[in-house]
Structures are given as structure tokens and as C-alpha cells.
């Protein structure tokens, strides 16, 4: 049985193509659930008009594929809006924000 923690671990390898920081540390992942052979990832992007949305979607799907789940649902949300406060201290340090 696959756990949420395993999904989060896989998502940590997905790098934002512009910032080169993983999407978990950036605070883009709001929720992960695993139920009945289905992974559901609720996430956001740094901006609603992000031109890299299709690329990030593809990278997320590729990252969780090795877990063997047959279905992955990515729910892109804009509320609550992403802010820099959602970032980990490590991400802020990596981007020179602290």
C-alpha cells in the first residue's frame, strides 16, 4: 500500500523549471491523498498565468509513476493563493530570501 509520505517523497524530486527548487519546498503542494489505487495531488502554482503549468503537470505525473498507481489526479487550485510564506526555510535560503 502506498502512503502519502511516499508520494510527498516522490514529489520532492520535481523541480520548478524556473526557480530550480522542488515544488514541495516551494509550498506548491497543498494536499496529497491515496485511495483505491488513485493518487490525488491538490496543488497550486506561483502565479495563475504560469506558462509552465503543463510542464509541471507532466513532471508530477512522471514523479509518482514509479509508485505503481494506475491513476493520478492533479487538482490545480488558486485558493488559498500561494505566497512566499508557504516556502520552507531551506527554499528561502536557496533563493537568497533569508
Amino acid at each position: 500500500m502506498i502512503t502519502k509520505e511516499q508520494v510527498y517523497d516522490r514529489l520532492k524530486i520535481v523541480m520548478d523549471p524556473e526557480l530550480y527548487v522542488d515544488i514541495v519546498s516551494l509550498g506548491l503542494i497543498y494536499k496529497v491523498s491515496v485511495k483505491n489505487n488513485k493518487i490525488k495531488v491538490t496543488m497550486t502554482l506561483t502565479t495563475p498565468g504560469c506558462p509552465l503549468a503543463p510542464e509541471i503537470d507532466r513532471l508530477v505525473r512522471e514523479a509518482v509513476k514509479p509508485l505503481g498507481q494506475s491513476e493520478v489526479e492533479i487538482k490545480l487550485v488558486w485558493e488559498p493563493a500561494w505566497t512566499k510564506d508557504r516556502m520552507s526555510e531551506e527554499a528561502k535560503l536557496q533563493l537568497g530570501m533569508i
Side-chain angles (χ1 to χ4, degrees):
M1 182 171 165
I2 295 171
T3 66
K4 290 191 297 186
E5 291 77 19
Q6 289 173 307
V7 176
Y8 274 105
D9 284 344
R10 295 297 305 165
L11 292 174
K12 287 178 185 175
I13 69 169
V14 178
M15 295 292 165
D16 180 287
E18 291 180 318
L19 301 175
Y20 307 107
V21 176
D22 74 86
I23 61 174
V24 174
S25 295
L26 282 174
L28 299 180
I29 305 299
Y30 286 177
K31 183 179 177 182
V32 168
S33 63
V34 180
K35 185 177 180 182
N36 298 329
N37 204 34
K38 180 178 180 181
I39 294 172
K40 182 176 180 181
V41 178
T42 303
M43 64 177 292
T44 194
L45 299 172
T46 54
T47 60
C50 178
L52 296 170
E55 177 68 6
I56 293 173
D57 182 280
R58 183 186 66 78
L59 292 171
V60 167
R61 291 177 191 283
E62 284 181 6
V64 298
K65 189 175 184 177
L67 295 175
Q69 295 301 98
S70 61
E71 187 176 349
V72 178
E73 177 185 348
I74 299 173
K75 181 177 179 185
L76 196 58
V77 298
W78 303 110
E79 293 294 328
W82 178 85
T83 67
K84 294 176 185 174
D85 294 335
R86 295 192 52 86
M87 294 171 62
S88 70
E89 294 298 313
E90 294 83 11
K92 289 177 185 176
L93 184 62
Q94 187 174 344
L95 294 173
M97 298 176 150
I98 53 174

